[in-house]
Structures are given as structure tokens and as C-alpha cells.
Amino acid sequence: MGRIYIFTGKGGVGKSSIAAAHAVKSAQDNKGTLLVSTDMAHNLGDIFEQDLGKEPKMVLPNLEAYEIDPEHVMEEDFGFIMEYLTKLLSVDGGDLQDFGMIPGMEELFTLLKIAELHKKDKYDRIIVDCAPTGETLSLLKFPELLSWYMEKLFPIGKLGVRLLAPISKTAFKIELPNKTAMNDIERMYLKLSELQELLKDRETTSVRIVTMPEKMVVEETKRNYMYMNLYNFNVDGIYINRILPQNINNAFFLQWIDLQKNYTTELKETFAALPIYEIPWYDEELRGEAAIKRIIEDTLPDNVFESRVVTERETYVQNDKGYLLKVFLPNVQKEKLELYQAASAIAIKADNFKRNITLPNVLCRYFVTSAKLEDDILSVQFEKNI
């Protein structure tokens, strides 16, 4: 199976050009490569100066580019789900399109399409040019969130549907799924579970963050990295883009150069454990193969595609009190961290983001007695209820 590289970062930092540079380099290495854009404001076609359609298109030897159209994917590849949703949401014969795209569905079907392409094993490398940070976080956490709810509700749902389906259309004015549709929903749940495992498999998927040496971008990069670790994704590279040349003999740029030096130093100190790549600010628009190759020649080493396992998964350690759960949370502020225990999961919340970590069965009779954040490691102590 091939490897997936996901490029994310604040809007406008140059993710597309850097992702494109990796794709071109991969193709030069004689690796079958697919460059995918999940951003609705696609610009891969502009970068390669070609019109891209609704399916992958060969743009260079060994390289195909694909700007995903979620509506097309939903209709062509996942019609079994859309058919049921159309019936469920239609009113007086109205069509689903009258309601617009269901919130979150674009992200879900985009990810499912990438997983499907990976499963076909046609490409050695799939490089994903993601939407800006906030949308990317929604994109990556959506499968886990939806899978969690389906896992809790699906067994009840099957029973409820069996009891209510005969009267639902008359009593509730909706059409509950029949047995076939429930089986389709179960298939969807299994696909979500596979997708979640794929995105968090450190031997398969890398997340790489693109940033710039500017205050707001640096702060968002820190938060982005913390959230990626909160959701347990493998971040294994930081790209500092648009660094001004040091030899500019112009008073206007001197202050900007000093500011960039300070923020570059801050980024290097914050992400010292990660490979860091510095990309200059070029004197031309990055369009066309020749412009993209400048990034490759100036910045990308031969080992840029090496698989790296940098961040840690949550770990459980048995001690004399019970069990200790350790979670890696870089850059999180202690006062903004919340923790609480549900029946079979531990919930960790930082700012507006929350993650449910399912607890192993051995901890079903254990309770959280203490928690400590030290050196970016959250340690949660579980003790048995006696």
C-alpha cells in the first residue's frame, strides 16, 4: 500500500505549491503519485496550468492531479447513502438538492474517496492539499466523531427502526431506513472505522504543517500542532514558507527581515523534535512546472518522503495505584485544558476542540483520581473503585 501525505496550515501560507512540489519530486523519483486537493477553492489546475476534471488527470509522467468535487463523489461513488438521505429528507416529493449540501457531508465523502483511492493500491504516494486549518481539523476529526456516535447508537437504532419503521411515514412524516438501508448504514460505519484507522496509522499517513514567520500564523501553527496531537495524528514535518532573502539592500524590508528571524527562531525552538524545511520567498508567481521545480531544488532533500514516527500515541502504564494514561499535548495551556470521564471514555477538551479516548475494558471499573500536565505530557491516573 502507498503512503499518504497531508499538507495543512493557515489559509494563504502556500500549502498548494508546497504539496505540488512534493508531488513533482515524487514523480521524478519514478513513484506513481496522486496529488489531491480537498479545498473547495481548488488551484491545482492553476499551478499546473491545466484544466482538471472530476476524475484524476495525468499532468506529468507518473503524476496525476485531482480536484475532488464532493457532490460528484457522493452521487457516483456513494449513491446508496444518498438514495436513503434523499428519501429521508424529501418533503412532498422534493429532492435532496433543494436542501443544499448537508453540513459535514462534503468533508466526509472527500475523505472516503481518498481512502478508496488508497485501497485500490494504484499509487505509491497520495499527496493531499488540504483546506485551511479549521476546515482540515473538521475534516480529520469528522470520521472519529461520527463513528463514536454510530457505535453508541447503532445497536439501539436497529431495534428502534425495526419497531417504528411500519408506522414512521404516517406518524412522523419521515421514512425510516428499511433493512437494506440499515445494512448500507452499517457498511458506512465500517468504512468510517477503516478510514479512522488509515488516517491514524503512523506507518501509512503523515501530516505536515505549512507556516510562515508571522505572529498570527505562528500562533495558529502551534494550536494546529497541539490539536493534531490531541486527535492522535502523526505530524512529521514543518515547512516555514516565504522567508525573505537576507541580502536585500532596502530599508523597507530590514524590519521585516528581523521579525522573520525572530519568528523563525521561535518555530525552530517550538518544533525542535520535527524536521523543519525553510522555503524562500520567490521573485515570481509559483505557476508551471519550472517554478515548482525551484522549490524542489532549493528546499526538498532526497529523504523528504522518509516515514517518520515523531509524535506519540496515548499510552497506558500499569503502576502500584492502577493505570496511568499518558497523552502528548504540545503547546496546550494548562488553564484551558478540561478533562472528564464518561462511562467508557475519557474526554479531553482544549479550547473549542474535544476528543473522546475510548478506554480499554480493563479500566471499566477504574476512575480518574488525578491528572498532571508536565513537559507537554498529560498524565491521568486511574484507580479502582473499591
Side-chain angles (χ1 to χ4, degrees):
M1 286 285 186
R3 188 167 180 84
I4 300 173
Y5 300 84
I6 297 175
F7 286 83
T8 181
K10 186 176 174 64
V13 297
K15 296 184 300 297
S16 298
S17 56
I18 293 173
H22 282 75
V24 172
K25 179 172 177 56
S26 178
Q28 291 174 342
D29 295 341
N30 286 323
K31 299 292 185 181
T33 305
L34 176 66
L35 174 60
V36 181
S37 170
T38 69
D39 191 345
M40 294 303 291
H42 299 301
N43 58 4
L44 295 186
D46 295 331
I47 290 175
F48 289 98
E49 299 178 318
Q50 297 189 34
D51 292 327
L52 300 180
K54 295 181 178 180
E55 297 295 335
K57 177 183 178 181
M58 187 72 71
V59 293
L60 290 172
N62 299 317
L63 175 59
E64 295 181 26
Y66 181 23
E67 295 179 336
I68 292 182
D69 180 346
E71 289 192 48
H72 178 72
V73 169
M74 290 164 72
E75 293 170 1
E76 296 297 317
D77 298 317
F78 301 100
F80 63 94
I81 291 294
M82 295 310 298
E83 182 180 354
Y84 166 63
L85 289 177
T86 300
K87 292 179 180 178
L88 178 66
L89 297 179
S90 62
V91 178
D92 296 329
D95 188 74
L96 179 66
Q97 298 301 320
D98 296 336
F99 295 86
M101 190 74 75
I102 301 171
M105 282 294 163
E106 295 139 313
E107 291 88 351
L108 173 62
F109 286 102
T110 295
L111 280 181
L112 287 172
K113 183 62 176 181
I114 293 172
E116 182 183 272
L117 291 167
H118 179 266
K119 195 171 185 178
K120 289 181 178 179
D121 204 19
K122 177 182 177 181
Y123 306 99
D124 298 305
R125 292 168 182 154
I126 297 178
I127 296 170
V128 184
D129 169 29
C130 273
T133 303
E135 295 174 52
T136 301
L137 287 168
S138 299
L139 184 76
L140 295 177
K141 73 179 182 179
F142 194 80
E144 177 174 308
L145 181 65
L146 189 55
S147 291
W148 187 85
Y149 279 110
M150 288 187 72
E151 185 174 327
K152 302 300 179 188
L153 299 176
F154 191 71
I156 300 174
K158 295 183 80 169
L159 175 61
V161 165
R162 191 163 65 246
L163 296 174
L164 294 176
I167 63 169
S168 63
K169 198 161 188 178
T170 302
F172 306 112
K173 307 303 180 185
I174 62 171
E175 183 172 335
L176 289 179
N178 57 25
K179 184 177 180 180
T180 302
M182 286 300 292
N183 290 335
D184 286 342
I185 294 171
E186 190 166 19
R187 281 168 53 202
M188 182 66 135
Y189 169 67
L190 293 175
K191 283 179 176 291
L192 285 174
S193 298
E194 292 174 1
L195 176 60
Q196 186 176 321
E197 287 301 313
L198 174 66
L199 293 175
K200 295 187 178 183
D201 182 355
R202 282 159 156 68
E203 297 303 324
T204 301
T205 303
S206 293
V207 177
R208 300 189 170 185
I209 302 176
V210 181
T211 185
M212 293 194 317
E214 297 179 7
K215 182 175 178 57
M216 290 182 64
V217 183
V218 168
E219 293 304 315
E220 179 160 330
T221 301
K222 291 180 182 179
R223 290 192 295 271
N224 191 5
Y225 182 53
M226 183 270 292
Y227 294 139
M228 289 295 175
N229 279 279
L230 182 64
Y231 289 102
N232 208 20
F233 296 106
N234 179 38
V235 180
D236 70 351
I238 300 289
Y239 296 77
I240 308 176
N241 196 21
R242 296 178 185 160
I243 299 178
L244 290 167
Q246 304 299 301
N247 58 353
I248 296 180
N249 188 21
N250 186 310
F252 176 81
F253 288 102
L254 292 179
Q255 185 177 4
W256 282 106
I257 291 172
D258 286 339
L259 285 172
Q260 283 201 345
K261 281 182 181 178
N262 293 334
Y263 289 125
T264 299
T265 299
E266 183 177 348
L267 286 166
K268 288 180 176 179
E269 291 174 350
T270 301
F271 304 106
L274 297 174
I276 296 177
Y277 307 91
E278 299 180 45
I279 302 166
W281 196 320
Y282 290 103
D283 56 358
E284 64 174 336
E285 187 178 11
L286 292 173
R287 294 183 62 178
E289 184 182 355
I292 291 299
K293 283 183 176 178
R294 292 185 68 181
I295 299 178
I296 300 173
E297 294 165 0
D298 295 342
T299 308
L300 305 186
D302 291 336
N303 66 350
V304 72
F305 291 108
E306 280 186 2
S307 173
R308 301 181 180 91
V309 179
V310 179
T311 56
E312 302 176 10
R313 290 182 181 268
E314 62 268 17
T315 58
Y316 296 92
V317 180
Q318 190 170 11
N319 57 20
D320 55 355
K321 295 181 178 180
Y323 288 87
L324 192 67
L325 167 63
K326 293 187 175 182
V327 185
F328 185 44
L329 296 176
N331 300 312
V332 69
Q333 296 178 26
K334 185 177 180 179
E335 60 273 15
K336 293 185 177 181
L337 188 64
E338 297 180 26
L339 172 75
Y340 54 91
Q341 183 177 0
S344 60
I346 192 83
I348 300 173
K349 185 176 180 181
D351 290 334
N352 295 322
F353 291 86
K354 185 178 75 172
R355 183 181 176 209
N356 292 299
I357 299 176
T358 302
L359 298 176
N361 290 334
V362 70
L363 292 181
C364 64
R365 291 191 296 166
Y366 286 73
F367 295 87
V368 175
T369 57
S370 64
K372 179 174 66 174
L373 181 66
E374 188 174 38
D375 297 329
D376 292 335
I377 300 290
L378 175 64
S379 299
V380 183
Q381 180 66 54
F382 289 85
E383 297 183 30
K384 202 169 187 177
N385 184 29
I386 300 176

